[in-house]
Amino acid sequence: MHAVILAGGKGIRLRPYTTRLPKPLVPIGDEFSILDIVLSQLAHCGFDRVTLAIGHLGELVRSYAGDGRRWGLDIDYHQQGSALGTMGPVLELLDRLPEEFLVMNGDVLTDISYLDLLHEHAESGAPLTVATYQRQVQVDFGVLSTVDGVVVDFVEKPKLDYRVSMGVYGLRRQTLRSYTPGLPFGFDELVLDLLARHTPPHEYAFSGYWLDIGRPDDYDRANAEFDLIKESLLKGARCASW
Protein backbone atom coordinates (compact mmCIF):
# COMPACT_ATOMS: atom_id res chain seq x y z
CA MET A 1 0.00 0.00 0.00
CA HIS A 2 1.22 3.45 -0.94
CA ALA A 3 0.68 6.83 0.76
CA VAL A 4 1.55 10.29 -0.52
CA ILE A 5 2.28 12.85 2.21
CA LEU A 6 2.06 16.50 1.17
CA ALA A 7 4.97 18.11 3.01
CA GLY A 8 5.91 21.00 0.74
CA GLY A 9 3.96 23.97 2.14
CA LYS A 10 5.56 27.01 3.75
CA GLY A 11 3.41 26.82 6.89
CA ILE A 12 2.79 30.56 6.83
CA ARG A 13 -0.10 30.41 9.31
CA LEU A 14 2.09 28.54 11.80
CA ARG A 15 4.87 31.11 11.94
CA PRO A 16 7.12 31.71 13.84
CA TYR A 17 7.41 27.91 14.44
CA THR A 18 7.94 27.27 10.72
CA THR A 19 10.55 29.96 10.12
CA ARG A 20 13.36 27.43 10.47
CA LEU A 21 11.49 24.11 10.28
CA PRO A 22 9.01 22.72 7.74
CA LYS A 23 5.64 22.16 9.35
CA PRO A 24 5.80 18.32 9.37
CA LEU A 25 8.96 18.51 11.48
CA VAL A 26 7.72 20.78 14.29
CA PRO A 27 7.98 18.84 17.56
CA ILE A 28 4.96 17.35 19.35
CA GLY A 29 5.65 16.44 22.96
CA ASP A 30 9.24 15.82 24.02
CA GLU A 31 10.29 13.16 21.51
CA PHE A 32 8.31 13.26 18.29
CA SER A 33 7.62 15.35 15.22
CA ILE A 34 4.29 15.31 13.36
CA LEU A 35 5.96 13.41 10.51
CA ASP A 36 7.42 10.82 12.88
CA ILE A 37 3.95 10.10 14.29
CA VAL A 38 2.34 9.87 10.84
CA LEU A 39 5.02 7.55 9.45
CA SER A 40 4.78 5.30 12.51
CA GLN A 41 1.01 5.11 12.08
CA LEU A 42 1.23 4.27 8.39
CA ALA A 43 3.75 1.51 9.06
CA HIS A 44 1.52 0.09 11.81
CA CYS A 45 -1.44 0.14 9.42
CA GLY A 46 0.43 -2.00 6.89
CA PHE A 47 1.60 0.62 4.42
CA ASP A 48 4.97 -0.20 2.92
CA ARG A 49 5.64 2.72 0.55
CA VAL A 50 5.46 6.46 1.15
CA THR A 51 6.18 9.33 -1.23
CA LEU A 52 6.93 12.65 0.45
CA ALA A 53 6.05 15.62 -1.77
CA ILE A 54 8.49 18.27 -0.57
CA GLY A 55 9.17 21.92 -1.35
CA HIS A 56 9.86 24.56 1.33
CA LEU A 57 12.87 23.42 3.40
CA GLY A 58 12.52 20.05 1.71
CA GLU A 59 16.15 19.15 2.32
CA LEU A 60 15.38 19.01 6.06
CA VAL A 61 12.48 16.62 5.47
CA ARG A 62 14.69 14.44 3.28
CA SER A 63 17.48 14.45 5.86
CA TYR A 64 15.07 13.57 8.68
CA ALA A 65 13.09 10.79 6.99
CA GLY A 66 15.83 9.31 4.81
CA ASP A 67 14.86 6.08 3.10
CA GLY A 68 12.25 5.27 5.75
CA ARG A 69 14.08 2.22 7.06
CA ARG A 70 13.66 3.10 10.73
CA TRP A 71 9.86 2.98 10.34
CA GLY A 72 9.96 -0.13 8.18
CA LEU A 73 8.92 1.92 5.15
CA ASP A 74 10.30 2.51 1.68
CA ILE A 75 10.30 6.31 1.30
CA ASP A 76 10.92 8.24 -1.90
CA TYR A 77 10.56 11.93 -2.68
CA HIS A 78 8.99 14.31 -5.16
CA GLN A 79 10.46 17.81 -5.23
CA GLN A 80 7.93 20.38 -6.44
CA GLY A 81 9.36 23.49 -8.03
CA SER A 82 6.43 25.81 -7.31
CA ALA A 83 3.23 25.92 -5.31
CA LEU A 84 0.87 23.43 -6.98
CA GLY A 85 -1.98 23.16 -4.50
CA THR A 86 -3.13 19.95 -2.84
CA MET A 87 -3.47 17.70 -5.87
CA GLY A 88 -0.93 19.32 -8.20
CA PRO A 89 2.08 17.41 -6.81
CA VAL A 90 0.15 14.13 -7.06
CA LEU A 91 -0.48 14.69 -10.78
CA GLU A 92 3.28 14.84 -11.35
CA LEU A 93 3.97 11.43 -9.81
CA LEU A 94 0.98 9.38 -10.99
CA ASP A 95 3.14 6.88 -12.85
CA ARG A 96 4.86 5.95 -9.57
CA LEU A 97 1.60 5.14 -7.80
CA PRO A 98 -0.67 2.07 -7.69
CA GLU A 99 -4.26 2.29 -8.93
CA GLU A 100 -5.55 3.10 -5.42
CA PHE A 101 -3.55 5.08 -2.88
CA LEU A 102 -3.76 7.39 0.12
CA VAL A 103 -3.05 11.14 0.03
CA MET A 104 -2.75 13.21 3.20
CA ASN A 105 -1.54 16.54 4.46
CA GLY A 106 1.70 16.41 6.43
CA ASP A 107 0.33 18.43 9.37
CA VAL A 108 -2.53 16.18 10.54
CA LEU A 109 -2.73 14.52 13.95
CA THR A 110 -5.41 11.85 14.06
CA ASP A 111 -6.01 8.28 15.18
CA ILE A 112 -8.01 7.42 12.06
CA SER A 113 -7.44 4.01 10.47
CA TYR A 114 -5.69 4.83 7.19
CA LEU A 115 -6.04 1.16 6.31
CA ASP A 116 -9.80 1.13 6.79
CA LEU A 117 -10.20 4.35 4.82
CA LEU A 118 -8.29 2.97 1.85
CA HIS A 119 -10.18 -0.32 2.03
CA GLU A 120 -13.55 1.48 2.08
CA HIS A 121 -12.42 3.68 -0.80
CA ALA A 122 -11.58 0.61 -2.89
CA GLU A 123 -14.90 -1.02 -2.03
CA SER A 124 -16.93 2.10 -2.86
CA GLY A 125 -15.70 2.43 -6.43
CA ALA A 126 -15.83 6.22 -5.98
CA PRO A 127 -13.28 8.44 -7.76
CA LEU A 128 -12.31 10.08 -4.46
CA THR A 129 -12.92 9.36 -0.79
CA VAL A 130 -12.78 12.24 1.69
CA ALA A 131 -12.30 11.70 5.42
CA THR A 132 -14.70 14.10 7.16
CA TYR A 133 -15.10 15.39 10.69
CA GLN A 134 -17.91 17.23 12.47
CA ARG A 135 -16.83 20.75 13.45
CA GLN A 136 -18.77 23.43 15.30
CA VAL A 137 -18.09 27.06 14.44
CA GLN A 138 -18.99 29.87 16.83
CA VAL A 139 -20.21 32.99 15.03
CA ASP A 140 -19.10 36.03 16.99
CA PHE A 141 -21.95 38.26 15.80
CA GLY A 142 -25.71 38.46 16.07
CA VAL A 143 -27.13 37.01 12.84
CA LEU A 144 -30.16 38.64 11.22
CA SER A 145 -32.49 37.24 8.59
CA THR A 146 -34.19 39.91 6.52
CA VAL A 147 -36.84 40.05 3.80
CA ASP A 148 -37.45 43.25 1.80
CA GLY A 149 -35.79 45.41 4.43
CA VAL A 150 -37.63 43.82 7.36
CA VAL A 151 -35.90 41.76 10.06
CA VAL A 152 -37.76 38.44 10.28
CA ASP A 153 -35.43 36.49 12.56
CA PHE A 154 -32.47 37.01 14.88
CA VAL A 155 -30.01 34.61 16.51
CA GLU A 156 -27.36 35.87 18.93
CA LYS A 157 -23.92 34.38 18.18
CA PRO A 158 -25.13 31.04 16.83
CA LYS A 159 -23.08 27.86 16.69
CA LEU A 160 -23.04 26.24 13.26
CA ASP A 161 -22.24 22.58 12.59
CA TYR A 162 -20.29 21.54 9.49
CA ARG A 163 -18.66 18.42 8.15
CA VAL A 164 -15.15 19.40 7.13
CA SER A 165 -12.39 17.70 5.20
CA MET A 166 -9.70 16.19 7.44
CA GLY A 167 -6.98 16.44 4.80
CA VAL A 168 -6.89 12.65 4.32
CA TYR A 169 -8.08 11.15 1.04
CA GLY A 170 -8.41 7.88 -0.82
CA LEU A 171 -7.73 8.31 -4.54
CA ARG A 172 -7.49 6.23 -7.66
CA ARG A 173 -5.04 6.95 -10.44
CA GLN A 174 -7.73 6.93 -13.12
CA THR A 175 -9.50 9.84 -11.37
CA LEU A 176 -6.56 12.16 -12.00
CA ARG A 177 -5.58 11.04 -15.51
CA SER A 178 -7.60 13.76 -17.25
CA TYR A 179 -5.91 16.66 -15.44
CA THR A 180 -2.74 18.41 -16.63
CA PRO A 181 0.47 17.88 -14.60
CA GLY A 182 2.62 20.92 -13.82
CA LEU A 183 -0.29 23.29 -13.18
CA PRO A 184 -1.69 24.28 -9.77
CA PHE A 185 -4.64 22.05 -8.90
CA GLY A 186 -6.40 22.12 -5.55
CA PHE A 187 -8.58 19.67 -3.67
CA ASP A 188 -11.43 22.16 -4.01
CA GLU A 189 -11.11 22.19 -7.79
CA LEU A 190 -11.10 18.41 -7.92
CA VAL A 191 -14.25 18.08 -5.80
CA LEU A 192 -16.14 20.74 -7.74
CA ASP A 193 -15.19 19.13 -11.05
CA LEU A 194 -16.25 15.67 -9.87
CA LEU A 195 -19.60 17.09 -8.72
CA ALA A 196 -20.07 18.83 -12.08
CA ARG A 197 -19.41 15.49 -13.81
CA HIS A 198 -22.00 13.75 -11.59
CA THR A 199 -19.31 11.46 -10.16
CA PRO A 200 -19.47 12.51 -6.50
CA PRO A 201 -16.79 11.66 -3.92
CA HIS A 202 -17.42 9.13 -1.17
CA GLU A 203 -17.45 10.24 2.48
CA TYR A 204 -15.48 8.46 5.18
CA ALA A 205 -17.06 9.92 8.33
CA PHE A 206 -14.76 9.90 11.36
CA SER A 207 -15.45 10.79 14.99
CA GLY A 208 -12.18 9.99 16.79
CA TYR A 209 -9.29 12.36 17.41
CA TRP A 210 -8.34 14.86 14.71
CA LEU A 211 -6.40 18.10 14.81
CA ASP A 212 -5.12 20.07 11.85
CA ILE A 213 -1.91 21.83 12.98
CA GLY A 214 -2.60 24.95 10.96
CA ARG A 215 -2.18 27.82 13.44
CA PRO A 216 -0.15 28.50 16.60
CA ASP A 217 -3.27 27.91 18.71
CA ASP A 218 -3.69 24.45 17.15
CA TYR A 219 -0.04 23.64 17.74
CA ASP A 220 -0.22 24.73 21.37
CA ARG A 221 -3.36 22.61 21.83
CA ALA A 222 -1.64 19.56 20.31
CA ASN A 223 1.24 19.84 22.75
CA ALA A 224 -1.09 20.45 25.70
CA GLU A 225 -3.15 17.34 24.84
CA PHE A 226 -0.32 15.09 23.74
CA ASP A 227 0.14 13.16 26.99
CA LEU A 228 -3.57 12.27 26.86
CA ILE A 229 -3.62 11.17 23.22
CA LYS A 230 -0.08 9.81 22.81
CA GLU A 231 -0.94 6.16 23.34
CA SER A 232 -3.79 6.26 20.83
CA LEU A 233 -1.72 8.10 18.24
CA LEU A 234 1.47 6.08 18.51
CA LYS A 235 -0.04 2.63 18.81
CA GLY A 236 -2.48 3.29 15.98
CA ALA A 237 -4.97 0.95 17.67
CA ARG A 238 -7.70 1.75 15.15
CA CYS A 239 -5.63 0.24 12.34
CA ALA A 240 -5.66 -3.18 13.94
CA SER A 241 -9.43 -3.57 13.57
CA TRP A 242 -9.47 -4.53 9.88
Side-chain angles (χ1 to χ4, degrees):
M1 292 187 297
H2 199 136
V4 177
I5 300 178
L6 304 171
K10 294 184 177 180
I12 292 174
R13 291 182 302 151
L14 197 57
R15 288 179 178 170
Y17 300 114
T18 51
T19 303
R20 299 292 182 90
L21 282 176
K23 189 157 50 170
L25 296 189
V26 295
I28 301 292
D30 296 327
E31 306 174 55
F32 307 97
S33 68
I34 299 173
L35 184 60
D36 186 15
I37 293 169
V38 170
L39 292 174
S40 297
Q41 291 174 323
L42 289 170
H44 183 82
C45 284
F47 284 77
D48 51 5
R49 292 195 60 200
V50 172
T51 297
L52 286 167
I54 56 176
H56 175 65
L57 299 176
E59 68 280 1
L60 296 181
V61 176
R62 191 187 293 266
S63 176
Y64 179 83
D67 61 7
R69 189 178 312 170
R70 61 180 156 132
W71 294 279
L73 296 167
D74 179 7
I75 293 181
D76 61 8
Y77 297 86
H78 175 71
Q79 179 76 47
Q80 60 187 74
S82 58
L84 295 175
T86 307
M87 294 298 165
V90 184
L91 295 180
E92 294 188 325
L93 53 90
L94 273 186
D95 290 339
R96 293 155 58 181
L97 299 174
E99 180 54 35
E100 288 154 351
F101 55 94
L102 186 84
V103 176
M104 64 178 296
N105 295 339
D107 57 357
V108 173
L109 279 183
T110 178
D111 59 357
I112 194 173
S113 170
Y114 300 112
L115 174 63
D116 189 57
L117 185 153
L118 194 56
H119 173 64
E120 189 170 307
H121 169 66
E123 291 291 310
S124 74
L128 167 71
T129 295
V130 183
T132 69
Y133 197 82
Q134 189 77 14
R135 264 292 172 89
Q136 190 173 80
V137 178
Q138 174 75 59
V139 179
D140 291 331
F141 305 95
V143 176
L144 299 165
S145 298
T146 64
V147 176
D148 297 327
V150 177
V151 175
V152 297
D153 193 20
F154 173 76
V155 181
E156 175 64 16
K157 298 180 180 177
K159 292 180 179 179
L160 306 178
D161 290 316
Y162 296 98
R163 291 216 70 87
V164 300
S165 169
M166 293 172 58
V168 184
Y169 320 103
L171 263 164
R172 61 186 73 249
R173 204 166 42 174
Q174 190 59 36
T175 301
L176 299 178
R177 282 293 187 197
S178 61
Y179 303 105
T180 305
L183 299 177
F185 189 54
F187 165 73
D188 55 336
E189 295 172 280
L190 175 59
V191 171
L192 291 172
D193 191 52
L194 291 175
L195 292 174
R197 295 184 185 199
H198 305 289
T199 54
H202 176 68
E203 177 193 28
Y204 183 90
F206 181 67
S207 59
Y209 184 84
W210 172 68
L211 186 60
D212 173 22
I213 312 295
R215 301 168 301 176
D217 287 350
D218 301 320
Y219 179 57
D220 292 342
R221 177 184 164 190
N223 277 289
E225 296 176 345
F226 188 67
D227 285 342
L228 299 176
I229 62 173
K230 178 169 63 173
E231 183 174 355
S232 174
L233 288 177
L234 296 179
K235 287 189 175 180
R238 295 178 182 272
C239 290
S241 63
W242 181 75

